[in-house]
Amino acid sequence: MLLDHFERPWRGYRKVRKGVKKRISRHMQEIGARNMAAYLERVDADPAIRKECLRRMTVSISRFFREKQLWKVLRDRVLPELIGRGIETLRVWSAGCAGGEEPYSFRIIWEEVKKKIGRVPALDLMATDTNPENLDRAQKGIYTSGSLKEADRSTIAAYFDEKKLGKSYRIKPELKENITWKIHNLLDDPPDRRFHLIFLRNNLLTYYQWKIQTEAFHRITNRLVDSGYLVIGSHEKLPPESDAFTRLTASPHIYRKRTG
Protein backbone atom coordinates (compact mmCIF):
# COMPACT_ATOMS: atom_id res chain seq x y z
CA MET A 1 0.00 0.00 0.00
CA LEU A 2 2.79 2.41 0.89
CA LEU A 3 4.76 1.78 -2.30
CA ASP A 4 1.67 2.08 -4.48
CA HIS A 5 0.71 5.33 -2.75
CA PHE A 6 4.05 6.91 -3.67
CA GLU A 7 4.36 5.11 -7.00
CA ARG A 8 7.48 3.25 -5.92
CA PRO A 9 8.46 -0.13 -7.44
CA TRP A 10 8.37 -3.32 -5.42
CA ARG A 11 11.41 -4.57 -7.34
CA GLY A 12 13.62 -1.79 -6.00
CA TYR A 13 12.60 -2.34 -2.38
CA ARG A 14 12.56 -6.13 -2.47
CA LYS A 15 15.94 -6.66 -0.78
CA VAL A 16 15.72 -3.72 1.63
CA ARG A 17 12.07 -3.94 2.63
CA LYS A 18 12.71 -5.12 6.23
CA GLY A 19 14.59 -1.99 7.20
CA VAL A 20 12.04 0.29 5.56
CA LYS A 21 9.15 -1.55 7.23
CA LYS A 22 10.78 -1.14 10.65
CA ARG A 23 11.28 2.59 10.18
CA ILE A 24 7.73 3.12 8.90
CA SER A 25 6.26 1.01 11.70
CA ARG A 26 8.05 3.18 14.28
CA HIS A 27 6.71 6.30 12.57
CA MET A 28 3.18 4.90 12.63
CA GLN A 29 3.49 4.30 16.37
CA GLU A 30 4.91 7.77 16.98
CA ILE A 31 1.94 9.50 15.34
CA GLY A 32 -0.69 7.04 16.61
CA ALA A 33 -1.68 5.52 13.26
CA ARG A 34 -3.16 2.06 13.92
CA ASN A 35 -3.00 0.78 10.35
CA MET A 36 -1.64 1.73 6.94
CA ALA A 37 -4.89 3.30 5.75
CA ALA A 38 -4.89 5.65 8.76
CA TYR A 39 -1.21 6.34 8.27
CA LEU A 40 -1.64 7.33 4.64
CA GLU A 41 -4.47 9.68 5.59
CA ARG A 42 -2.11 11.45 7.98
CA VAL A 43 0.64 11.47 5.36
CA ASP A 44 -1.65 13.20 2.85
CA ALA A 45 -3.02 15.68 5.38
CA ASP A 46 0.21 16.83 7.02
CA PRO A 47 3.23 17.93 4.92
CA ALA A 48 5.61 17.41 7.87
CA ILE A 49 4.45 13.82 8.34
CA ARG A 50 4.73 13.21 4.60
CA LYS A 51 8.28 14.56 4.58
CA GLU A 52 9.26 12.32 7.48
CA CYS A 53 7.63 9.31 5.84
CA LEU A 54 9.63 9.86 2.65
CA ARG A 55 12.80 10.29 4.67
CA ARG A 56 12.24 6.93 6.35
CA MET A 57 11.60 5.31 2.98
CA THR A 58 15.02 6.45 1.80
CA VAL A 59 17.55 3.65 1.53
CA SER A 60 21.16 4.65 2.23
CA ILE A 61 23.51 1.75 1.66
CA SER A 62 27.00 2.64 0.57
CA ARG A 63 30.68 1.91 1.05
CA PHE A 64 33.99 3.13 -0.26
CA PHE A 65 34.91 2.07 -3.80
CA ARG A 66 31.72 0.11 -4.31
CA GLU A 67 32.28 -1.79 -7.58
CA LYS A 68 36.07 -1.40 -7.64
CA GLN A 69 36.45 -1.80 -11.43
CA LEU A 70 34.26 1.25 -11.96
CA TRP A 71 36.58 3.40 -9.84
CA LYS A 72 39.60 2.08 -11.70
CA VAL A 73 38.07 3.13 -15.04
CA LEU A 74 37.22 6.55 -13.63
CA ARG A 75 40.78 7.01 -12.36
CA ASP A 76 42.65 5.63 -15.36
CA ARG A 77 40.45 6.67 -18.27
CA VAL A 78 37.61 9.09 -17.54
CA LEU A 79 39.42 11.65 -15.38
CA PRO A 80 42.54 11.87 -17.60
CA GLU A 81 40.24 12.40 -20.61
CA LEU A 82 38.31 15.16 -18.87
CA ILE A 83 41.50 16.83 -17.65
CA GLY A 84 42.90 16.65 -21.17
CA ARG A 85 40.13 18.96 -22.40
CA GLY A 86 41.88 21.89 -20.76
CA ILE A 87 38.94 22.91 -18.58
CA GLU A 88 39.57 25.37 -15.73
CA THR A 89 37.28 23.68 -13.19
CA LEU A 90 36.05 20.09 -13.10
CA ARG A 91 32.49 20.07 -11.78
CA VAL A 92 31.21 16.81 -10.27
CA TRP A 93 27.86 15.98 -8.66
CA SER A 94 27.36 13.05 -6.29
CA ALA A 95 23.54 12.89 -6.34
CA GLY A 96 22.23 10.92 -3.38
CA CYS A 97 25.57 10.72 -1.61
CA ALA A 98 24.31 8.84 1.49
CA GLY A 99 26.96 9.04 4.23
CA GLY A 100 29.67 10.48 2.01
CA GLU A 101 31.44 7.30 0.92
CA GLU A 102 30.99 8.09 -2.76
CA PRO A 103 32.28 11.69 -2.83
CA TYR A 104 35.19 10.79 -0.58
CA SER A 105 36.04 7.83 -2.85
CA PHE A 106 36.12 10.32 -5.69
CA ARG A 107 38.37 12.67 -3.72
CA ILE A 108 40.80 9.80 -3.15
CA ILE A 109 41.09 8.88 -6.84
CA TRP A 110 41.34 12.60 -7.66
CA GLU A 111 44.37 12.81 -5.38
CA GLU A 112 45.86 9.77 -7.10
CA VAL A 113 45.32 11.32 -10.53
CA LYS A 114 46.94 14.56 -9.34
CA LYS A 115 50.03 12.66 -8.22
CA LYS A 116 50.27 10.91 -11.58
CA ILE A 117 49.43 13.76 -13.97
CA GLY A 118 50.63 16.74 -11.99
CA ARG A 119 48.75 19.81 -13.16
CA VAL A 120 44.97 19.39 -12.94
CA PRO A 121 41.95 21.74 -13.03
CA ALA A 122 40.34 23.11 -9.90
CA LEU A 123 37.76 20.73 -8.44
CA ASP A 124 34.16 21.65 -7.60
CA LEU A 125 32.49 18.60 -6.05
CA MET A 126 28.85 18.88 -4.96
CA ALA A 127 27.43 16.12 -2.75
CA THR A 128 23.68 16.08 -2.09
CA ASP A 129 21.25 13.92 -0.17
CA THR A 130 17.67 14.27 0.99
CA ASN A 131 18.49 13.15 4.54
CA PRO A 132 20.25 15.76 6.74
CA GLU A 133 21.47 12.99 9.07
CA ASN A 134 23.40 11.47 6.17
CA LEU A 135 25.03 14.80 5.38
CA ASP A 136 25.94 15.32 9.03
CA ARG A 137 27.62 11.92 9.12
CA ALA A 138 29.38 12.64 5.83
CA GLN A 139 30.80 15.93 7.06
CA LYS A 140 32.13 14.25 10.20
CA GLY A 141 33.87 11.72 7.95
CA ILE A 142 34.09 8.82 10.43
CA TYR A 143 33.58 5.27 9.11
CA THR A 144 33.69 1.70 10.32
CA SER A 145 35.96 -0.93 8.86
CA GLY A 146 32.92 -2.43 7.10
CA SER A 147 32.58 0.71 4.99
CA LEU A 148 36.19 0.29 3.89
CA LYS A 149 36.22 -3.40 3.05
CA GLU A 150 36.89 -2.68 -0.64
CA ALA A 151 39.74 -0.25 0.09
CA ASP A 152 43.24 -1.72 0.28
CA ARG A 153 45.48 -1.12 3.28
CA SER A 154 47.71 1.38 1.52
CA THR A 155 44.69 3.53 0.66
CA ILE A 156 43.42 3.44 4.24
CA ALA A 157 46.87 4.32 5.57
CA ALA A 158 47.26 7.22 3.13
CA TYR A 159 43.84 8.84 3.41
CA PHE A 160 42.44 7.93 6.84
CA ASP A 161 43.42 8.40 10.49
CA GLU A 162 42.54 5.48 12.72
CA LYS A 163 40.69 6.64 15.80
CA LYS A 164 42.08 5.64 19.17
CA LEU A 165 38.79 4.14 20.34
CA GLY A 166 37.35 1.22 18.43
CA LYS A 167 38.05 0.32 14.82
CA SER A 168 36.64 3.36 13.10
CA TYR A 169 38.53 5.57 10.69
CA ARG A 170 38.42 9.33 10.13
CA ILE A 171 38.90 10.75 6.65
CA LYS A 172 41.89 13.11 6.55
CA PRO A 173 40.87 16.80 6.72
CA GLU A 174 42.41 17.74 3.36
CA LEU A 175 39.99 15.38 1.58
CA LYS A 176 37.07 17.49 2.82
CA GLU A 177 38.29 20.40 0.73
CA ASN A 178 36.43 21.30 -2.48
CA ILE A 179 33.26 19.47 -1.38
CA THR A 180 29.95 21.32 -1.01
CA TRP A 181 27.29 19.42 0.97
CA LYS A 182 23.63 20.26 0.32
CA ILE A 183 20.19 18.85 1.05
CA HIS A 184 18.46 17.99 -2.22
CA ASN A 185 15.63 15.74 -3.31
CA LEU A 186 16.28 14.05 -6.65
CA LEU A 187 12.71 14.80 -7.73
CA ASP A 188 13.26 18.53 -7.31
CA ASP A 189 15.00 20.78 -9.84
CA PRO A 190 18.72 19.94 -9.98
CA PRO A 191 21.45 22.44 -9.03
CA ASP A 192 21.70 25.34 -11.44
CA ARG A 193 25.07 24.55 -12.93
CA ARG A 194 26.59 22.28 -15.57
CA PHE A 195 28.59 19.20 -14.58
CA HIS A 196 31.27 17.18 -16.31
CA LEU A 197 30.51 14.07 -14.24
CA ILE A 198 27.36 13.00 -12.38
CA PHE A 199 27.06 10.03 -10.03
CA LEU A 200 23.45 8.79 -10.00
CA ARG A 201 23.90 5.39 -8.40
CA ASN A 202 21.47 3.12 -6.58
CA ASN A 203 18.78 5.70 -5.93
CA LEU A 204 16.56 7.28 -8.62
CA LEU A 205 16.83 4.37 -11.07
CA THR A 206 16.08 1.81 -8.35
CA TYR A 207 13.50 3.28 -5.97
CA TYR A 208 11.08 5.08 -8.33
CA GLN A 209 8.64 3.90 -10.97
CA TRP A 210 9.49 4.60 -14.57
CA LYS A 211 7.35 7.72 -15.18
CA ILE A 212 8.66 9.67 -12.18
CA GLN A 213 12.10 8.21 -12.76
CA THR A 214 12.23 9.26 -16.41
CA GLU A 215 11.11 12.84 -15.79
CA ALA A 216 13.67 13.35 -13.01
CA PHE A 217 16.38 11.56 -14.97
CA HIS A 218 16.08 13.89 -17.93
CA ARG A 219 16.11 16.97 -15.69
CA ILE A 220 19.25 15.74 -13.98
CA THR A 221 21.12 14.68 -17.10
CA ASN A 222 20.28 17.98 -18.80
CA ARG A 223 22.81 19.39 -16.34
CA LEU A 224 25.57 17.33 -17.97
CA VAL A 225 27.82 19.10 -20.46
CA ASP A 226 28.12 17.57 -23.93
CA SER A 227 30.48 14.58 -23.73
CA GLY A 228 30.02 14.58 -19.95
CA TYR A 229 29.88 11.31 -18.02
CA LEU A 230 27.07 9.65 -16.08
CA VAL A 231 27.65 6.85 -13.55
CA ILE A 232 24.80 4.53 -12.50
CA GLY A 233 24.52 1.44 -10.28
CA SER A 234 25.51 -2.06 -11.34
CA HIS A 235 21.91 -3.35 -11.33
CA GLU A 236 20.37 -0.27 -12.90
CA LYS A 237 19.35 0.55 -16.46
CA LEU A 238 18.80 3.86 -18.17
CA PRO A 239 15.14 4.84 -18.64
CA PRO A 240 13.52 4.44 -22.06
CA GLU A 241 14.38 7.08 -24.64
CA SER A 242 17.86 7.67 -23.22
CA ASP A 243 19.53 7.55 -26.60
CA ALA A 244 21.66 10.60 -25.77
CA PHE A 245 24.10 8.29 -23.99
CA THR A 246 26.76 5.82 -25.11
CA ARG A 247 27.96 3.16 -22.68
CA LEU A 248 31.69 2.81 -22.17
CA THR A 249 33.02 -0.61 -23.13
CA ALA A 250 35.44 -0.49 -20.19
CA SER A 251 32.61 -0.25 -17.65
CA PRO A 252 28.91 -1.05 -18.17
CA HIS A 253 27.96 1.48 -15.48
CA ILE A 254 29.54 4.56 -17.08
CA TYR A 255 27.86 6.46 -19.92
CA ARG A 256 29.05 9.35 -22.05
CA LYS A 257 26.61 12.00 -23.21
CA ARG A 258 26.65 12.49 -26.95
CA THR A 259 27.55 15.89 -28.37
CA GLY A 260 24.57 17.96 -29.47
Side-chain angles (χ1 to χ4, degrees):
M1 287 177 68
L2 183 67
L3 294 177
D4 287 345
H5 192 79
F6 286 104
E7 297 185 312
R8 302 288 183 95
W10 167 255
R11 175 183 54 82
Y13 281 86
R14 182 172 57 85
K15 292 184 178 181
V16 297
R17 64 188 185 277
K18 290 183 179 179
V20 175
K21 286 172 70 174
K22 286 181 181 179
R23 293 194 295 272
I24 293 297
S25 293
R26 291 193 201 104
H27 194 211
M28 292 173 67
Q29 292 174 6
E30 290 166 10
I31 66 172
R34 294 184 178 182
N35 54 48
M36 183 53 63
Y39 180 64
L40 293 178
E41 285 185 13
R42 296 288 303 278
V43 163
D44 287 341
D46 189 326
I49 291 177
R50 183 183 185 89
K51 182 178 180 180
E52 180 61 17
C53 170
L54 290 171
R55 187 186 73 81
R56 298 194 188 203
M57 289 178 69
T58 301
V59 179
S60 299
I61 301 173
S62 190
R63 60 183 179 272
F64 281 83
F65 303 109
R66 187 175 184 179
E67 297 154 15
K68 290 185 72 172
Q69 177 61 21
L70 178 150
W71 292 98
K72 185 176 185 300
V73 173
L74 288 172
R75 182 193 64 198
D76 297 342
R77 174 173 173 174
V78 172
L79 288 182
E81 192 275 322
L82 287 170
I83 292 168
R85 298 180 189 179
I87 56 180
E88 292 185 2
T89 301
L90 180 72
R91 293 184 298 277
V92 181
W93 179 17
S94 173
C97 67
E101 293 90 342
E102 182 175 88
Y104 285 134
S105 294
F106 181 84
R107 281 292 282 113
I108 289 171
I109 66 167
W110 181 249
E111 291 300 312
E112 293 177 347
V113 170
K114 282 170 62 176
K115 292 175 183 177
K116 184 176 181 179
I117 293 180
R119 183 166 180 162
V120 297
L123 175 64
D124 179 3
L125 173 54
M126 176 173 285
T128 64
D129 198 88
T130 189
N131 189 338
E133 293 178 3
N134 284 343
L135 294 182
D136 182 62
R137 183 164 68 92
Q139 291 177 78
K140 290 176 180 175
I142 299 173
Y143 300 94
T144 64
S145 56
S147 294
L148 290 159
K149 64 182 181 180
E150 293 190 61
D152 55 46
R153 290 184 178 181
S154 61
T155 298
I156 295 173
Y159 298 105
F160 293 84
D161 295 317
E162 187 172 2
K163 291 187 67 180
K164 292 182 179 179
L165 299 175
K167 292 185 177 181
S168 57
Y169 297 82
R170 188 195 309 271
I171 197 86
K172 289 196 171 179
E174 54 267 32
L175 292 182
K176 295 183 179 182
E177 297 174 359
N178 309 113
I179 303 179
T180 302
W181 307 94
K182 286 189 176 182
I183 295 175
H184 178 263
N185 189 316
L186 293 174
L187 303 186
D188 295 338
D189 288 337
D192 188 18
R193 65 179 72 180
R194 301 273 279 169
F195 296 95
H196 300 95
L197 173 63
I198 295 179
F199 290 90
L200 189 65
R201 306 170 71 210
N202 307 303
N203 43 53
L204 178 71
L205 300 180
T206 296
Y207 299 112
Y208 294 87
Q209 289 186 358
W210 74 268
K211 183 178 179 181
I212 296 174
Q213 176 191 107
T214 301
E215 292 173 355
F217 176 83
H218 289 302
R219 286 198 303 270
I220 290 169
T221 55
N222 280 340
R223 292 291 192 261
L224 266 178
V225 301
D226 287 347
S227 298
Y229 290 91
L230 174 71
V231 184
I232 66 173
S234 60
H235 299 293
E236 295 179 324
K237 295 180 180 179
L238 297 187
E241 301 178 5
S242 300
D243 52 0
F245 292 90
T246 302
R247 186 167 63 182
L248 266 62
T249 55
S251 173
H253 321 311
I254 305 176
Y255 291 80
R256 182 170 176 166
K257 188 177 181 180
R258 292 193 177 98
T259 303

